[in-house]
Amino acid sequence: MSLCTRASIELAEPVAATAATARTWLLIEQPGPWGAKALRSSHLDPALGRELERLADGTGVRLGLIRRPGRHADTHQPHRRQVIAAHTAPDRSWVRTAALADPAELATLDFPALGAGHPADFGTRYDGPPIALICTNGTRDRCCALHGRPLAAELATDGGLDVWETTHLGGHRFAPTMLVLPHGYSYGRLDAATAKDALSAAHSGRVALEGCRGRSTWSRPGQAAELAVRALIDEDRAAALTVRGTDPVEPEPASGSGPDSDPDPDARTAWTVHVHHTDGRAWRVLVAQHAATPPRPESCGAALGTPARMDVESVEPIDPAVAVPGG
């Protein structure tokens, strides 16, 4: 087992609330090798990659490259590339696919609308099984290749699954990692059995909590709060819970603090998160961010660091009428 995954496991680092954040995913088929910054260092035109990154910036759309498991040769022969667009909000999750002769057509998309969940006339509705996207980009982090590729290959032998390799889902140290569409829940430290359980749950509109990193729709505090409420009330229906309002908590001044004091490096950052159920119930969840200690490598070969950890400090049922509306 390679360094960053081994250290994370030995330190019993939680996987909850570590998912990449994105309301909408736009995933472009690109065979052949991928570089660390895949949209600019693959056989995709790097100028197009940079333009797509510019267009997606700040819109809630996260870009990635995908390829089928197996040999990754790119013959550069003309072919139609599969493109997957998926919106992950619980009240309007959808997946649409298109086969494009020229990926430059993607530069004409309305990225703000796509991020908001409005696909316009892009592609056609996808009605197949849940889509499994497994990070295998070894040039980004070797853990993803060492642990992700065998998992992707094994899942691909199941004819009932739709499996892709993808470039980057964040959290290399939790490899193998997987994103499941349409709901947008991410998973870490998977084996074939837990991965199939997650996909089976998604097929019936549910969420498997083992190894779940969170729903990409929500911020990391929102991910922590939603997963905590799910565990508390034993709720596994993907569409049942919505995060409405993630409000910063004003920090308490430290003893002896003042306008001329040095900032406290251990100052606590916290949020009040409101989680609503479709049956009318609601909860106020207090989530605090702390530095994960002792230091550990966040990626193979990287310097030791203290990544942010989200801790749920309390979950309190409330009158839904007092919860703050919004995302």
Side-chain angles (χ1 to χ4, degrees):
M1 187 178 296
S2 49
L3 180 61
C4 71
T5 52
R6 182 175 67 245
S8 181
I9 290 172
E10 289 175 349
L11 292 169
E13 184 176 7
V15 302
T18 64
T21 56
R23 293 191 302 272
T24 301
W25 295 80
L26 185 63
L27 305 158
I28 308 158
E29 183 182 9
Q30 178 55 62
W34 296 331
K37 302 291 186 182
L39 266 81
R40 288 172 273 148
S41 52
S42 69
H43 290 170
L44 184 73
D45 179 1
L48 174 60
R50 287 191 293 271
E51 176 65 4
L52 293 176
E53 289 177 333
R54 184 190 70 79
L55 292 169
D57 186 38
T59 66
V61 176
R62 185 178 175 102
L63 299 163
L65 301 184
I66 55 176
R67 62 193 179 197
R68 290 298 189 183
R71 294 183 65 249
H72 301 143
D74 183 3
T75 63
H76 298 276
Q77 295 300 313
H79 72 288
R80 298 183 71 82
R81 301 166 192 255
Q82 291 296 314
V83 178
I84 300 171
H87 189 67
T88 62
D91 57 342
R92 56 184 187 280
S93 296
W94 50 257
V95 176
R96 298 182 71 85
T97 60
L100 301 182
D102 184 357
E105 296 177 43
L106 296 172
T108 66
L109 290 175
D110 184 338
F111 278 80
L114 200 63
H118 307 298
D121 57 354
F122 176 78
T124 59
R125 179 179 173 181
Y126 173 81
D127 291 316
I131 299 172
L133 297 135
I134 299 167
C135 183
T136 63
N137 191 359
T139 57
R140 184 80 179 234
D141 189 282
R142 66 178 180 266
C143 283
C144 297
L146 288 173
H147 305 305
R149 285 179 185 166
L151 176 63
E154 183 168 356
L155 294 181
T157 63
D158 188 327
L161 301 178
D162 192 355
V163 183
W164 295 86
E165 297 184 5
T166 191
T167 46
H168 183 50
L169 297 177
H172 317 293
R173 62 195 184 279
F174 305 123
T177 60
M178 178 175 73
L179 172 71
V180 179
L181 299 175
H183 306 121
Y185 283 94
S186 287
Y187 293 84
R189 296 200 191 114
L190 292 169
D191 57 26
T194 54
K196 289 180 179 180
D197 286 346
L199 291 165
S200 176
H203 188 72
S204 57
R206 297 180 295 109
V207 183
L209 293 183
E210 183 177 359
C212 189
R213 299 176 62 196
R215 189 169 194 156
S216 72
T217 314
W218 315 129
S219 66
R220 288 190 60 192
Q223 293 171 18
E226 192 230 39
L227 290 176
V229 171
R230 286 193 180 280
L232 177 68
I233 66 172
D234 193 27
E235 176 59 79
D236 67 355
R237 289 171 295 172
L241 297 180
T242 301
V243 173
R244 297 186 187 175
T246 302
D247 305 317
V249 175
E250 288 294 329
E252 296 180 2
S255 177
S257 64
D260 298 322
S261 301
D262 292 332
D264 179 2
D266 298 318
R268 173 176 172 276
T269 304
W271 298 264
T272 298
V273 184
H274 293 93
V275 179
H276 283 228
H277 196 289
T278 51
D279 66 9
R281 289 178 291 169
W283 296 262
R284 180 186 297 112
V285 185
L286 182 61
V287 179
Q289 176 179 300
H290 299 282
T293 56
R296 76 288 311 274
E298 297 182 56
S299 185
C300 289
L304 299 183
T306 53
R309 185 187 76 236
M310 298 292 160
D311 295 328
V312 173
E313 297 189 346
S314 64
V315 182
E316 176 188 2
I318 58 171
D319 180 345
V322 306
V324 178

